[in-house]
């Protein structure tokens, strides 16, 4: 389901916003090793300052340069405290056992390492039942739950943002036409965005 959503017009619009924000978050990261859980078709961490980026994917055709096929994200063949940066782009939405995936991401992350995740906002005003009918997800992730779970797991969230406010549509014309709602939503109903992004550090 993630691949279907990511290849849709609305998905590509959302992902372009997320990638821009993620690159802002990692702009000061130098000579690090990073891993991205899922989203095999898009490397969010394309940055010349990052030494190594590996994308782990459940897709069987993922075995190529910087891609690694893994049938499960809950048990990765990596040592504890071995990665500088972990990215979960909607991974907790589209894959089962979201909490186990989150704990696995924290396990492999080095002390003082960076964890970035994106997720659909359950409080969104614009994501309708029609969106979820077309793109079923495994789990709704709420920010307050992430703060509770991650705090007990050693993650300290440093900053984040709410992103995108246009209603769900697959029509490129309306995606462009409704773009004015991005500024309006950010000003008048900021916490009811379509998605949110969080960036934390492992203590």
């Amino acid at each position: 389901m993630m691949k279907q959503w990511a290849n849709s017009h609305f998905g590509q619009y959302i992902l372009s916003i997320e990638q821009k924000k993620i690159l802002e978050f990692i702009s000061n990261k130098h000579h690090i090793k990073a891993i991205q859980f899922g989203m095999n078709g898009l490397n969010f961490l394309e940055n010349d300052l990052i030494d190594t980026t590996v994308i782990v994917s459940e897709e069987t055709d993922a075995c190529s340069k910087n891609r690694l096929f893994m049938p499960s994200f809950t048990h990765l063949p990596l040592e504890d405290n071995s990665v500088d940066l972990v990215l979960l782009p909607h991974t907790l939405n589209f894959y089962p056992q979201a909490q186990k995936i989150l704990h696995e991401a924290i396990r492999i992350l080095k002390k003082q390492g960076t964890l970035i995740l994106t997720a659909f906002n359950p409080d969104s005003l614009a994501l309708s039942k029609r969106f979820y009918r077309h793109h079923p997800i495994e789990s709704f992730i709420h920010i307050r739950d992430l703060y509770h779970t991650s705090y007990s797991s050693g993650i300290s969230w440093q900053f984040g943002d709410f992103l995108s406010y246009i209603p769900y549509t697959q029509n490129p014309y309306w995606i462009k036409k409704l773009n004015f709602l991005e500024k309006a939503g950010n000003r008048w109903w900021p916490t009811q965005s379509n998605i949110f992004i969080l960036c934390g550090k492992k203590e």
Side-chain angles (χ1 to χ4, degrees):
M1 285 301 173
M2 175 184 272
K3 188 173 184 180
Q4 178 190 357
W5 171 74
N7 290 333
S8 69
H9 291 297
F10 188 76
Q12 289 175 10
Y13 172 75
I14 294 293
L15 292 174
S16 68
I17 294 174
E18 292 180 355
Q19 185 168 36
K20 182 179 179 180
K21 181 62 66 173
I22 289 167
L23 290 177
E24 288 179 18
F25 283 177
I26 66 173
S27 61
N28 64 340
K29 305 294 181 186
H30 300 268
H31 307 298
I32 65 173
K33 295 179 180 178
I35 188 166
Q36 174 180 313
F37 285 41
M39 207 69 74
N40 181 43
L42 177 61
N43 182 359
F44 285 91
L45 302 172
E46 286 185 309
N47 186 324
D48 292 338
L49 300 177
I50 295 180
D51 283 349
T52 306
T53 298
V54 175
I55 300 175
V56 293
S57 173
E58 83 296 353
E59 297 176 31
T60 54
D61 61 349
C63 294
S64 59
K65 184 179 180 182
N66 296 338
R67 264 69 170 175
L68 177 65
F69 167 69
M70 288 298 301
S72 170
F73 293 160
T74 59
H75 296 90
L76 298 182
L78 297 171
E79 295 181 359
D80 296 357
N81 308 307
S82 58
V83 179
D84 300 290
L85 187 154
V86 176
L87 173 65
L88 305 176
H90 293 279
T91 317
L92 304 183
N93 287 137
F94 282 106
Y95 294 96
Q97 300 181 299
Q99 290 299 327
K100 288 186 177 181
I101 292 174
L102 180 59
H103 284 297
E104 182 69 355
I106 295 171
R107 179 188 71 79
I108 66 174
L109 192 63
K110 290 181 180 178
K111 298 288 186 181
Q112 304 302 308
T114 300
L115 173 65
I116 300 175
L117 66 83
T118 63
F120 297 117
N121 185 1
D123 296 329
S124 170
L125 287 178
L127 289 186
S128 62
K129 292 180 180 179
R130 178 169 165 263
F131 170 79
Y132 293 113
R133 280 200 305 270
H134 284 83
H135 307 286
I137 64 174
E138 287 284 344
S139 305
F140 284 101
I141 308 297
H142 203 286
I143 284 183
R144 60 175 171 263
D145 296 329
L146 285 169
Y147 268 84
H148 176 75
T149 302
S150 301
Y151 178 77
S152 62
S153 302
I155 287 290
S156 173
W157 297 113
Q158 305 294 301
F159 43 84
D161 208 350
F162 293 97
L163 303 170
S164 181
Y165 298 87
I166 69 169
Y168 170 67
T169 176
Q170 290 295 353
N171 188 321
Y173 171 82
W174 284 110
I175 290 175
K176 184 176 180 179
K177 196 75 171 177
L178 295 170
N179 195 258
F180 73 93
L181 289 173
E182 301 294 19
K183 288 185 177 180
N186 188 56
R187 179 175 181 181
W188 297 109
W189 54 95
T191 63
Q192 294 172 307
S193 61
N194 291 330
I195 53 176
F196 63 83
I197 181 170
L198 287 174
C199 181
K201 180 174 68 175
K202 184 175 179 179
E203 301 292 355

